[in-house]
Every structure is written in C-alpha cells, then in structure tokens.
Amino acid sequence: MPRIQLENITKYYNHEKRLIPAVKDINLVIEPRDFVFVTGSSGAGKSTLLQLIASEITPDEGKIYFDHIEYNAKRTFLRKPKKDGIGYVSQLSHLMRKRTITENLMMVARMKTGFRKERPHERIEKALKMVGLPDAGRFYPVELSQGECRRVELARAILNRPSVLILDELTANLDEDTIWDLFHLISEINRMGTTVIMATHAKNFVNIMRKRVITLVAGEIFGDVQKGRYGDVVKQQPPL
Ligand code: ADP
C-alpha cells in the first residue's frame, strides 16, 4: 500500500511575465487508506496540488514520493505510479462525445498496467455496477445526466483498481442528492482500502464526513486537521 510524501513542493505559473507560485513549499504525508479533503477558495492551489500528486504536472521545486519512489515524469519507468497506482478525475469532463461509455472506458481498461486476471469487459462491467450504472455502457455521454457522467468518470478512474484515487471537484454543479450519493460511493471505495484525496467546496458534506481536512490559502497549507471540518485551521504555535 503506497504512502505519498511531498517534500518542499513549489509549482510556479507565468503570470504577466512574472513567476507566481500556485503552490508553495508544501510538505505533506498521506498515509495508505487515508481520506483527505483538500479545501480552500478558488485559486488557492487545490487543482495544482492534486495534479502534482497525480503526476499530471511536475513540480519546479521539491520532491514527491509514491511508496518511497520519487516521481520523475521525464523517465517513463517512474511514471508507473500514475499508470498503475493512481486513478485521477480532473475538474473537466474528459469523456469522448462520439464514443459510447463502454468505448470510453475500454481505452483505459486496455492500458497495459501489468498482469490482470479479469478481461477489460469484465472490469468495465464491475466498475459501472460499482458506481450504480450497470446499464450505461451502450449509451453516449450526451444521453446521460451530468451526475451520471461524473459517475462514469469515477468508474473509469477505479477500473484498474488504483490504490490512490484523486478527485478534483467531482461534485461541482450537482444537486444535493447526487452529491450525497457520490460521497457515499467514495466512502465505500475508501472503506475497501483505497486512499482518497478529494478537492471540494461541498462544505456541508465535508462537515458530516469528519475526515482529514487540508486547507490551502494562496498556495500554502493553512490547516491540516484530522476529523476536521471545512475551514478548520491549525492552531498557530506561540513563538518561543
Ligand atoms: P484552485 O484549484 O484552488 O482553484 P488552482 O490550482 O487551479 O487553484 O490555481 C492556483 C493558481 O495557479 C491560480 O492563481 C491560477 O490562476 C494559477 N494557475 C493554475 N493553473 C495554471 C496554468 N495552467 N497556467 C497559469 N496559471 C495557472
């Protein structure tokens, strides 16, 4: 089971010819089977942090370790954590409109990610069942609701049985019932042993779940609280 460790991670973006850190000097350890909410206002650095952990982008400073192995996106063999161990759902939907749900999932199911007992079709069937859409395979994304499409993306992310699931605003723009269903589902996936790292604005749900809550402010960790609530911050230590 992997442990994720970030050491002095900084990522800059170019803004009007100046380098601005999107996340700055982040130090973080996420233990196996942890459930972590990443919160903070828009622009606080949540997506950047998640993309770094998912090895979608590389840091400008610092190191990230997955199970004690350092990420290095330039060297393919070390991209293995992403291929094999991490399921990532980005903020924007990436379902292909002209492909059915099964065809969309097949691209991921066929990825060569080591020895798998089950055939791609079986894994797709199981993943769709898991997210409560057993019959969605033959439909096109446009025939599904927004909430159902997000479920399909969740199914795609868990297809290859990742040990870490990274979800960026999975529940944005969804109604309360759908959000609740998704949170329930993600809790279940976590309960079965998958580490979950989830950026969200769903304050009420974060408060009910009482999981670890990391709060980012202007790219820095402002709070990191076990069994936390939305907006919890670490108590400042008095100066010695
Ligand atoms: P959040 O997910 O909390 O809304 P982001 O990680 O998306 O925050 O963004 C953090 C900061 O980095 C913002 O100021 C944003 O404008 C900047 N940023 C993020 N991605 C890019 C990018 N690809 N190019 C330029 N700036 C970016």
Side-chain angles (χ1 to χ4, degrees):
M1 273 289 162
R3 176 180 195 260
I4 294 169
Q5 185 172 4
L6 280 72
E7 250 180 38
N8 307 110
I9 289 295
T10 298
K11 176 76 185 175
Y12 295 100
Y13 285 115
N14 228 323
H15 184 69
E16 293 173 355
K17 294 187 182 163
R18 284 176 55 216
L19 285 179
I20 308 283
V23 294
K24 196 170 142 192
D25 205 19
I26 301 277
N27 286 289
L28 192 61
V29 173
I30 296 171
E31 299 290 352
R33 297 167 180 260
D34 217 347
F35 193 128
V36 185
F37 286 120
V38 179
T39 65
S41 49
S42 211
K46 302 182 294 296
S47 282
T48 306
L49 180 64
L50 263 48
Q51 286 172 56
L52 285 161
I53 298 173
S55 87
E56 293 283 313
I57 56 174
T58 49
D60 293 310
E61 290 165 17
K63 290 178 178 170
I64 306 179
Y65 300 89
F66 185 90
D67 217 6
H68 306 286
I69 300 170
E70 192 191 335
Y71 287 19
N72 182 345
K74 291 189 187 89
R75 303 187 22 207
T76 47
F77 73 96
L78 285 179
R79 281 184 68 86
K80 200 167 182 305
K82 185 188 155 201
K83 272 177 77 186
D84 220 6
I86 295 182
Y88 169 65
V89 182
S90 73
Q91 220 169 36
L92 299 171
S93 174
H94 286 300
L95 293 177
M96 293 200 209
R97 288 184 305 132
K98 294 193 172 167
R99 303 274 170 101
T100 64
I101 298 307
T102 298
E103 287 165 352
N104 264 284
L105 299 189
M106 192 54 86
M107 287 178 220
V108 177
R110 284 215 175 111
M111 261 168 65
K112 285 197 172 48
T113 54
F115 176 73
R116 306 247 173 239
K117 280 193 205 137
E118 290 166 334
R119 295 179 166 282
H121 265 294
E122 284 174 65
R123 269 185 286 132
I124 290 172
E125 234 169 70
K126 276 195 182 165
L128 286 175
K129 211 183 246 177
M130 174 93 201
V131 301
L133 295 172
D135 304 318
R138 65 178 189 281
F139 293 106
Y140 288 87
V142 72
E143 296 177 286
L144 303 181
S145 71
Q146 207 187 348
E148 287 168 334
C149 284
R150 297 309 270 168
R151 277 167 190 265
V152 169
E153 286 174 87
L154 192 56
R156 185 173 54 182
I158 59 172
L159 257 185
N160 291 333
R161 311 268 159 80
S163 40
V164 179
L165 188 57
I166 299 178
L167 307 168
D168 196 353
E169 296 280 356
L170 187 75
T171 57
N173 308 317
L174 299 178
D175 62 77
E176 294 242 320
D177 284 350
T178 311
I179 297 178
W180 186 243
D181 283 352
L182 279 167
F183 268 76
H184 191 71
L185 183 57
I186 295 157
S187 283
E188 189 56 25
I189 294 170
N190 174 248
R191 212 182 50 79
M192 294 192 302
T194 308
T195 306
V196 173
I197 307 168
M198 181 175 188
T200 186
H201 284 290
K203 188 175 171 177
N204 296 341
F205 296 91
V206 171
N207 289 346
I208 292 170
M209 307 263 298
R210 303 308 296 259
K211 302 288 184 187
R212 181 177 176 188
V213 179
I214 292 176
T215 305
L216 290 177
V217 176
E220 294 185 69
I221 294 182
F222 209 68
D224 185 352
V225 179
Q226 298 291 342
K227 296 187 180 162
R229 295 167 65 86
Y230 195 94
D232 273 350
V233 293
V234 180
K235 284 199 185 97
Q236 295 292 317
Q237 295 292 323
L240 293 172

